[in-house]
Amino acid sequence: MHRKFFLFTVDVEDWFQVENLRVACPQDKWDNFEFRLEKNVSRLLELFESFDIRATFFVLGWVANKVPQLIRRIHSMGHEIASHGYWHNMCSDLDYKQIVKEIKDSKRLLEDTIGDKIFGFRAPNFSINRTLVEQLAKEGYTYDSSYNTFKLNPRYGNLDVRAKRDINGVLELEAGLYEIPIFNLHIKRIVLPLGGGAYFRLLPVYFFIKGIEYILKQNRWYLFYMHPWEIDPGQPRIRSISLNHRVRHYLNLSRTFPRLKNVCQYFSDRKDVDFISCIDFLKSQSV
Ligand SMILES: [Zn+2]
């Protein structure tokens, strides 16, 4: 029987660093907002520990600078630390030099923080582009996980995917640089957003679980993403943003944690499924 892999990924940013809230929470005011990340990450770590899950945490440089001890704790519990950039800037808003700075600064800071190597990167809002890919390869990253195959969200980047190789859905984009895409459910020409995030809070959990099962039937692996603020219904509410952004950000926050538990329980009961980090997964594919 083929082993199946569940890649559980967490984008480590706090509620005020999200793109939907940017107008109300500019970067130069971040220090003034209530920092709620530690408590939420701790809940996730407990959840992972109880199901023996190894996950990947894509951490913002800003966060590592503020709470280095938290990042060291995540790492010491056996999870992988990867980079989510420093300032949560979308690559589409940055020029070449700014992109290089984001990926270089965050990598160096995270490596200094945990005393270990950083292999992976995820662009804020999946805003991947060709410049990012080329520079990640130059800066010594091993993989990127920013390509979302769900196209209806206009913020998601577009990548002219000219992969050198396709290894079970992992794409070699440059020599030695691999893309682990956010995998959605493809049925003929329809793509259902089953990667996580707001769609996980929107869709019934039973539907989500069945969708993941379906993906795992056809594919050897599945990748899920979420954010610590998504399990925090007590976070401050910002009213001055658009209705669309308000709905996306605040939808079903109180339901996320119990739903996560359902998913973890369901797939850890399946003895052929391993929850592993992105880098261990890549190694298992002998790339
Ligand atoms: Zn993010």
Side-chain angles (χ1 to χ4, degrees):
M1 182 174 48
H2 269 309
R3 308 284 314 157
K4 302 281 184 177
F5 299 106
F6 194 123
L7 312 185
F8 201 122
T9 70
V10 182
D11 292 355
V12 183
E13 66 207 35
D14 213 348
W15 63 274
F16 51 84
Q17 298 175 311
V18 174
E19 190 63 28
N20 287 338
L21 272 59
R22 180 174 290 253
V23 193
C25 311
Q27 289 170 348
D28 58 346
K29 300 271 174 1
W30 281 359
D31 276 319
N32 303 346
F33 294 107
E34 185 189 347
F35 190 68
R36 300 174 63 92
L37 186 89
E38 280 182 287
K39 202 181 66 193
N40 296 322
V41 168
S42 294
R43 286 178 79 198
L44 289 174
L45 289 173
E46 270 168 41
L47 177 75
F48 294 157
E49 199 172 22
S50 64
F51 290 104
D52 203 18
I53 288 172
R54 295 278 169 281
T56 305
F57 288 74
F58 292 89
V59 179
L60 270 192
W62 188 91
V63 168
N65 191 39
K66 190 171 178 78
V67 282
Q69 71 285 358
L70 176 69
I71 311 311
R72 284 194 280 271
R73 182 150 77 94
I74 300 171
H75 180 248
S76 71
M77 291 178 81
H79 303 292
E80 182 187 349
I81 302 294
S83 168
H84 194 33
Y86 195 96
W87 284 106
H88 211 262
N89 287 322
M90 302 221 305
C91 291
S92 40
D93 295 339
L94 303 180
D95 64 24
Y96 154 80
K97 273 191 176 161
Q98 291 167 316
I99 288 180
V100 173
K101 191 166 164 39
E102 282 276 331
I103 61 180
K104 229 182 180 163
D105 288 356
S106 58
K107 188 172 191 284
R108 193 179 302 145
L109 175 65
L110 290 166
E111 287 180 342
D112 287 349
T113 303
I114 61 170
D116 207 346
K117 204 169 159 16
I118 299 297
F119 299 97
F121 185 83
R122 174 168 292 152
N125 294 88
F126 307 120
S127 57
I128 187 173
N129 60 27
R130 194 29 77 177
T131 309
L132 174 70
V133 168
E134 286 165 4
Q135 295 312 314
L136 285 174
K138 276 193 192 152
E139 295 301 328
Y141 282 87
T142 304
Y143 73 89
D144 174 79
S145 181
S146 314
Y147 183 58
N148 194 325
T149 56
F150 185 62
K151 293 279 181 237
L152 289 183
N153 190 326
R155 279 195 193 131
Y156 295 172
N158 271 308
L159 183 63
D160 173 15
V161 185
R162 282 165 304 190
K164 296 182 194 302
R165 279 196 298 161
D166 180 335
I167 311 128
N168 300 321
V170 173
L171 309 170
E172 186 175 10
L173 297 179
E174 299 280 322
L177 183 83
Y178 300 90
E179 176 63 35
I180 311 176
I182 317 304
F183 211 90
N184 295 289
L185 179 56
H186 297 249
I187 302 174
K188 291 186 180 157
R189 301 188 74 177
I190 301 167
V191 184
L192 291 170
L194 286 187
Y199 305 104
F200 180 66
R201 290 180 280 130
L202 172 73
L203 301 166
V205 69
Y206 179 77
F207 175 83
F208 222 89
I209 286 174
K210 285 293 149 195
I212 297 172
E213 272 217 308
Y214 189 82
I215 290 173
L216 283 177
K217 229 179 240 164
Q218 304 179 328
N219 202 38
R220 289 203 190 152
W221 56 277
Y222 163 76
L223 184 147
F224 179 80
Y225 74 92
M226 59 140 332
H227 310 85
W229 55 264
E230 291 185 284
I231 58 166
D232 184 8
Q235 66 189 268
R237 303 282 160 142
I238 303 288
R239 307 268 166 220
S240 58
I241 52 173
S242 73
L243 179 64
N244 172 29
H245 289 167
R246 226 160 42 215
V247 170
R248 280 186 76 90
H249 189 86
Y250 296 119
L251 180 81
N252 289 339
L253 293 177
S254 60
R255 296 197 190 150
T256 317
F257 195 76
R259 285 181 178 186
L260 283 179
K261 232 174 171 170
N262 286 341
V263 170
C264 293
Q265 180 78 62
Y266 189 91
F267 289 100
S268 63
D269 282 348
R270 264 188 61 171
K271 296 301 169 213
D272 62 330
V273 175
D274 289 336
F275 285 90
I276 62 171
S277 68
C278 290
I279 191 67
D280 285 347
F281 164 67
L282 273 186
K283 285 178 189 159
S284 78
Q285 302 301 297
S286 46
V287 295

mmCIF file of all heavy atoms in Angstrom, residues 31-46:
data_model
loop_
_atom_site.group_PDB
_atom_site.id
_atom_site.type_symbol
_atom_site.label_atom_id
_atom_site.label_comp_id
_atom_site.label_asym_id
_atom_site.label_seq_id
_atom_site.Cartn_x
_atom_site.Cartn_y
_atom_site.Cartn_z
ATOM 1 N N ASP A 31 2.903 47.648 16.142
ATOM 2 C CA ASP A 31 3.270 47.509 17.560
ATOM 3 C C ASP A 31 2.149 47.953 18.488
ATOM 4 O O ASP A 31 2.159 47.612 19.668
ATOM 5 C CB ASP A 31 4.544 48.316 17.851
ATOM 6 C CG ASP A 31 5.785 47.510 17.504
ATOM 7 O OD1 ASP A 31 5.799 46.301 17.808
ATOM 8 O OD2 ASP A 31 6.731 48.082 16.920
ATOM 9 N N ASN A 32 1.197 48.727 17.963
ATOM 10 C CA ASN A 32 0.117 49.242 18.831
ATOM 11 C C ASN A 32 -1.034 48.263 18.996
ATOM 12 O O ASN A 32 -1.887 48.450 19.853
ATOM 13 C CB ASN A 32 -0.477 50.535 18.234
ATOM 14 C CG ASN A 32 0.578 51.591 18.024
ATOM 15 O OD1 ASN A 32 1.688 51.461 18.553
ATOM 16 N ND2 ASN A 32 0.258 52.625 17.265
ATOM 17 N N PHE A 33 -1.096 47.229 18.158
ATOM 18 C CA PHE A 33 -2.245 46.320 18.227
ATOM 19 C C PHE A 33 -2.008 45.193 19.220
ATOM 20 O O PHE A 33 -0.863 44.801 19.471
ATOM 21 C CB PHE A 33 -2.546 45.736 16.835
ATOM 22 C CG PHE A 33 -3.010 46.767 15.847
ATOM 23 C CD1 PHE A 33 -2.178 47.198 14.826
ATOM 24 C CD2 PHE A 33 -4.279 47.326 15.951
ATOM 25 C CE1 PHE A 33 -2.589 48.164 13.917
ATOM 26 C CE2 PHE A 33 -4.704 48.284 15.048
ATOM 27 C CZ PHE A 33 -3.857 48.704 14.033
ATOM 28 N N GLU A 34 -3.113 44.684 19.753
ATOM 29 C CA GLU A 34 -3.021 43.605 20.736
ATOM 30 C C GLU A 34 -2.428 42.358 20.075
ATOM 31 O O GLU A 34 -2.983 41.835 19.100
ATOM 32 C CB GLU A 34 -4.429 43.296 21.272
ATOM 33 C CG GLU A 34 -4.415 42.280 22.392
ATOM 34 C CD GLU A 34 -5.828 41.825 22.773
ATOM 35 O OE1 GLU A 34 -6.827 42.465 22.357
ATOM 36 O OE2 GLU A 34 -5.916 40.814 23.492
ATOM 37 N N PHE A 35 -1.326 41.866 20.628
ATOM 38 C CA PHE A 35 -0.626 40.718 20.054
ATOM 39 C C PHE A 35 -1.221 39.446 20.650
ATOM 40 O O PHE A 35 -1.069 39.171 21.838
ATOM 41 C CB PHE A 35 0.868 40.841 20.363
ATOM 42 C CG PHE A 35 1.715 39.853 19.627
ATOM 43 C CD1 PHE A 35 1.872 39.917 18.251
ATOM 44 C CD2 PHE A 35 2.378 38.844 20.316
ATOM 45 C CE1 PHE A 35 2.663 39.010 17.565
ATOM 46 C CE2 PHE A 35 3.170 37.929 19.637
ATOM 47 C CZ PHE A 35 3.313 38.013 18.265
ATOM 48 N N ARG A 36 -1.906 38.680 19.842
ATOM 49 C CA ARG A 36 -2.649 37.513 20.346
ATOM 50 C C ARG A 36 -2.111 36.192 19.793
ATOM 51 O O ARG A 36 -2.672 35.134 20.027
ATOM 52 C CB ARG A 36 -4.135 37.653 19.956
ATOM 53 C CG ARG A 36 -4.774 38.906 20.525
ATOM 54 C CD ARG A 36 -6.181 39.085 20.001
ATOM 55 N NE ARG A 36 -7.060 38.005 20.407
ATOM 56 C CZ ARG A 36 -7.810 38.003 21.504
ATOM 57 N NH1 ARG A 36 -7.763 39.036 22.334
ATOM 58 N NH2 ARG A 36 -8.603 36.986 21.775
ATOM 59 N N LEU A 37 -1.036 36.294 19.065
ATOM 60 C CA LEU A 37 -0.530 35.142 18.323
ATOM 61 C C LEU A 37 -0.053 33.987 19.204
ATOM 62 O O LEU A 37 -0.320 32.816 18.911
ATOM 63 C CB LEU A 37 0.622 35.615 17.430
ATOM 64 C CG LEU A 37 1.189 34.581 16.479
ATOM 65 C CD1 LEU A 37 0.425 34.626 15.171
ATOM 66 C CD2 LEU A 37 2.654 34.840 16.213
ATOM 67 N N GLU A 38 0.643 34.319 20.291
ATOM 68 C CA GLU A 38 1.273 33.266 21.105
ATOM 69 C C GLU A 38 0.268 32.266 21.632
ATOM 70 O O GLU A 38 0.482 31.053 21.574
ATOM 71 C CB GLU A 38 2.030 33.893 22.274
ATOM 72 C CG GLU A 38 3.377 34.436 21.858
ATOM 73 C CD GLU A 38 4.156 35.015 23.022
ATOM 74 O OE1 GLU A 38 3.768 36.111 23.477
ATOM 75 O OE2 GLU A 38 5.134 34.374 23.455
ATOM 76 N N LYS A 39 -0.838 32.800 22.141
ATOM 77 C CA LYS A 39 -1.873 31.926 22.709
ATOM 78 C C LYS A 39 -2.450 30.998 21.630
ATOM 79 O O LYS A 39 -2.666 29.802 21.855
ATOM 80 C CB LYS A 39 -2.990 32.809 23.296
ATOM 81 C CG LYS A 39 -3.822 32.121 24.345
ATOM 82 C CD LYS A 39 -4.915 33.049 24.838
ATOM 83 C CE LYS A 39 -5.893 33.320 23.724
ATOM 84 N NZ LYS A 39 -6.836 34.368 23.879
ATOM 85 N N ASN A 40 -2.686 31.565 20.456
ATOM 86 C CA ASN A 40 -3.286 30.767 19.373
ATOM 87 C C ASN A 40 -2.320 29.715 18.836
ATOM 88 O O ASN A 40 -2.726 28.588 18.545
ATOM 89 C CB ASN A 40 -3.760 31.693 18.248
ATOM 90 C CG ASN A 40 -4.871 32.626 18.718
ATOM 91 O OD1 ASN A 40 -5.739 32.220 19.491
ATOM 92 N ND2 ASN A 40 -4.832 33.873 18.292
ATOM 93 N N VAL A 41 -1.046 30.085 18.727
ATOM 94 C CA VAL A 41 -0.052 29.103 18.274
ATOM 95 C C VAL A 41 0.077 27.986 19.310
ATOM 96 O O VAL A 41 0.185 26.808 18.959
ATOM 97 C CB VAL A 41 1.314 29.784 17.993
ATOM 98 C CG1 VAL A 41 2.420 28.749 17.809
ATOM 99 C CG2 VAL A 41 1.221 30.672 16.757
ATOM 100 N N SER A 42 0.025 28.364 20.596
ATOM 101 C CA SER A 42 0.121 27.343 21.652
ATOM 102 C C SER A 42 -1.010 26.328 21.545
ATOM 103 O O SER A 42 -0.797 25.124 21.729
ATOM 104 C CB SER A 42 0.082 27.993 23.042
ATOM 105 O OG SER A 42 1.229 28.774 23.212
ATOM 106 N N ARG A 43 -2.206 26.812 21.241
ATOM 107 C CA ARG A 43 -3.342 25.878 21.063
ATOM 108 C C ARG A 43 -3.085 24.926 19.906
ATOM 109 O O ARG A 43 -3.390 23.731 19.980
ATOM 110 C CB ARG A 43 -4.643 26.653 20.795
ATOM 111 C CG ARG A 43 -5.208 27.340 22.021
ATOM 112 C CD ARG A 43 -6.455 28.108 21.652
ATOM 113 N NE ARG A 43 -7.633 27.254 21.518
ATOM 114 C CZ ARG A 43 -8.747 27.619 20.888
ATOM 115 N NH1 ARG A 43 -8.819 28.797 20.299
ATOM 116 N NH2 ARG A 43 -9.774 26.800 20.832
ATOM 117 N N LEU A 44 -2.542 25.448 18.830
ATOM 118 C CA LEU A 44 -2.239 24.593 17.674
ATOM 119 C C LEU A 44 -1.167 23.571 18.025
ATOM 120 O O LEU A 44 -1.269 22.395 17.647
ATOM 121 C CB LEU A 44 -1.777 25.442 16.484
ATOM 122 C CG LEU A 44 -2.839 26.296 15.802
ATOM 123 C CD1 LEU A 44 -2.216 27.193 14.745
ATOM 124 C CD2 LEU A 44 -3.931 25.420 15.180
ATOM 125 N N LEU A 45 -0.149 24.006 18.774
ATOM 126 C CA LEU A 45 0.930 23.081 19.144
ATOM 127 C C LEU A 45 0.379 21.936 19.998
ATOM 128 O O LEU A 45 0.773 20.786 19.828
ATOM 129 C CB LEU A 45 2.041 23.832 19.889
ATOM 130 C CG LEU A 45 2.889 24.782 19.024
ATOM 131 C CD1 LEU A 45 3.846 25.592 19.892
ATOM 132 C CD2 LEU A 45 3.655 24.018 17.950
ATOM 133 N N GLU A 46 -0.540 22.278 20.907
ATOM 134 C CA GLU A 46 -1.163 21.225 21.741
ATOM 135 C C GLU A 46 -1.958 20.247 20.878
ATOM 136 O O GLU A 46 -1.910 19.038 21.070
ATOM 137 C CB GLU A 46 -2.129 21.849 22.750
ATOM 138 C CG GLU A 46 -1.481 22.198 24.064
ATOM 139 C CD GLU A 46 -2.404 23.081 24.901
ATOM 140 O OE1 GLU A 46 -3.636 22.813 24.941
ATOM 141 O OE2 GLU A 46 -1.888 24.052 25.495
#
